Amino acid sequence: MCQAGYAGAECREACPPDCSGHGACDEGRTGSAACVCSVGWGGTTCQIECPGGAENICNGHGLCQADGTCSCTQDSRLGHWTGAECLECAAGYSGNQCTDSCPLGLTGAVCSGQGSCRDGQCTCNAEYCGEACAMTGEDCLQFECSQSGFWGADCSSECPKAPASGSVCAGHGLCSEGRT
């Protein structure tokens, strides 16, 4: 058994003074003399608080690493997160919990690199259309929206509805669904 604050087979390795008050030294003959940090802290002397704070580590979307950085969750149920604090959806995902996968173009780019994704649907830049914004030019003239009650270049414009009944065009006409 080593004296408190020392580790190693011969008890000659000194532990850091106090692990910044956020951990304890791995001491004893089988110890490493390194700080073992409390949950939510990292760094060689536990001096770095993990992003999101010790109470909300990595904002609830990842794990704190030994160096005090986050390793963000990549899971179909818990979300696909990125960023230093795990606050952004990883490429190819969207939605409040980053679980909605975004349409990919032929090159694997989200919305073919020609739009943005929200809640699993692309909003295409001008001149582009289709589920993954992969079509342009005359192809867009023939494209129809897959969801009834919507129209426009990116199918984001909702057809007019009667306030009371919610029926399209108040039940007195047809909404031009598709490209106009």
Side-chain angles (χ1 to χ4, degrees), residues 127-141:
E127 305 296 320
Y128 290 88
C129 64
E131 180 184 10
C133 303
M135 295 187 283
T136 187
E138 290 193 23
D139 289 337
C140 291
L141 298 174

Side-chain angles (χ1 to χ4, degrees), residues 11-77:
C11 299
R12 291 187 182 170
E13 297 178 47
C15 293
D18 68 353
C19 296
S20 302
H22 303 291
C25 182
D26 182 18
E27 54 189 22
R29 290 194 183 274
T30 59
S32 64
C35 289
V36 177
C37 300
S38 301
V39 173
W41 293 88
T44 56
T45 60
C46 306
Q47 76 281 12
I48 303 170
E49 187 173 22
C50 294
E55 299 299 316
N56 191 24
I57 299 164
C58 301
N59 295 291
H61 305 299
L63 300 173
C64 186
Q65 301 300 296
D67 63 359
T69 61
C70 290
S71 173
C72 301
T73 301
Q74 300 296 315
D75 182 85
S76 60
R77 290 181 303 110

Side-chain angles (χ1 to χ4, degrees), residues 110-138:
V110 173
C111 301
S112 302
Q114 299 301 331
S116 60
C117 181
R118 182 173 181 177
D119 298 327
Q121 294 186 332
C122 292
T123 299
C124 303
N125 297 337
E127 305 296 320
Y128 290 88
C129 64
E131 180 184 10
C133 303
M135 295 187 283
T136 187
E138 290 193 23

Side-chain angles (χ1 to χ4, degrees), residues 89 92-104 110-111 116-123 130-132 146:
C89 292
Y93 294 90
S94 66
N96 290 339
Q97 294 301 313
C98 298
T99 54
D100 299 329
S101 62
C102 299
L104 303 176
V110 173
C111 301
S116 60
C117 181
R118 182 173 181 177
D119 298 327
Q121 294 186 332
C122 292
T123 299
E131 180 184 10
S146 61

